[in-house]
Amino acid sequence: IDNVGKPYLTDFMSPTKNDFFEENCFWLVLNDADGNPGGLTGARSDHTGREPLSVYSQRKLRNMFPEEKHVAIRQDRLPRVADEIMGHVVYTGDLFLGPDFRSTSRNHLRVLAMLQYCLIYLKWSKLDWLYAFLRDRDVRRGAAWMYHFPRIYPMAHSWTSPPSDDAGNNWIAAMNRVEMVDLFSTYFGATDRL
């Protein structure tokens, strides 16, 4: 992380808050022409069975933050919108591009997202759902389009102490396996659409 210049990792992708193994996590690290890391994004795989992501996430948050057991988890957000997301779920997050990789072209991010989805599908082809949290300000700037997500659920997650100067409100973006395969078919048939 320090080599890339990313100031923090989200709790869902932090190795200090999770047990990661080759089977349940990977990082896609982008290197420049000299081999120096300049960007990254991560993915983690979880099996919730028939338990919806909403219930699983509440338990996961309690495990990651036992010192905050007195902080109420709002029942009017995540549980209500994420009940359909269950089974083999894959979370993607912590996308970061250093200054040398940043561009005014949003197509670079779209291609990077597609590359990561291909790797996710190659590693976990039996996944049921892919999901991410998107900041409210990024959703307003077209993040769901940029990352190819066909579903977004408004204001489904809030930080009590945001890791940056952001307002701390996030949306859930998601796609199921059928939508992911359709995405591949669409773009691989006409790569100019990226």
Side-chain angles (χ1 to χ4, degrees), residues 6-153:
K6 192 174 192 311
Y8 68 90
L9 288 177
T10 59
D11 297 302
F12 271 59
M13 289 304 297
S14 172
T16 63
K17 296 281 187 179
N18 301 274
D19 290 326
F20 287 138
F21 306 95
E22 182 182 348
E23 293 78 21
N24 72 339
C25 179
F26 75 83
W27 288 93
L28 175 60
V29 179
L30 305 174
N31 294 328
D32 64 19
D34 297 321
N36 300 312
L40 59 80
T41 183
R44 61 171 285 165
S45 168
D46 294 296
H47 293 271
T48 73
R50 292 191 305 201
E51 183 177 53
L53 179 66
S54 52
V55 176
Y56 175 80
S57 293
Q58 286 186 32
R59 190 174 67 255
K60 185 73 175 165
L61 288 170
R62 290 297 183 215
N63 291 340
M64 287 192 294
F65 301 101
E67 70 281 4
E68 293 189 12
K69 61 184 176 186
H70 63 283
V71 177
I73 296 176
R74 292 187 57 167
Q75 298 296 314
D76 65 334
R77 292 192 173 185
L78 186 56
R80 185 168 51 84
V81 301
D83 281 346
E84 65 182 330
I85 303 174
M86 66 178 69
H88 182 181
V89 297
V90 175
Y91 169 76
T92 177
D94 284 275
L95 173 64
F96 177 80
L97 297 177
D100 293 340
F101 280 86
R102 293 181 189 154
S103 166
T104 56
S105 172
R106 295 177 156 259
N107 283 340
H108 292 128
L109 288 174
R110 286 176 65 78
V111 172
L112 177 60
M114 185 63 80
L115 174 61
Q116 186 191 33
Y117 300 161
C118 290
L119 293 173
I120 287 170
Y121 191 79
L122 287 171
K123 188 170 181 69
W124 300 303
S125 62
K126 301 297 186 187
L127 81 157
D128 294 302
W129 287 89
L130 174 70
Y131 74 102
F133 292 113
L134 302 178
R135 293 179 295 194
D136 181 51
R137 69 176 183 181
D138 293 333
V139 170
R140 289 192 306 254
R141 294 189 304 197
W145 167 85
M146 190 165 42
Y147 302 129
H148 311 279
F149 281 110
R151 302 165 187 245
I152 54 172
Y153 303 86

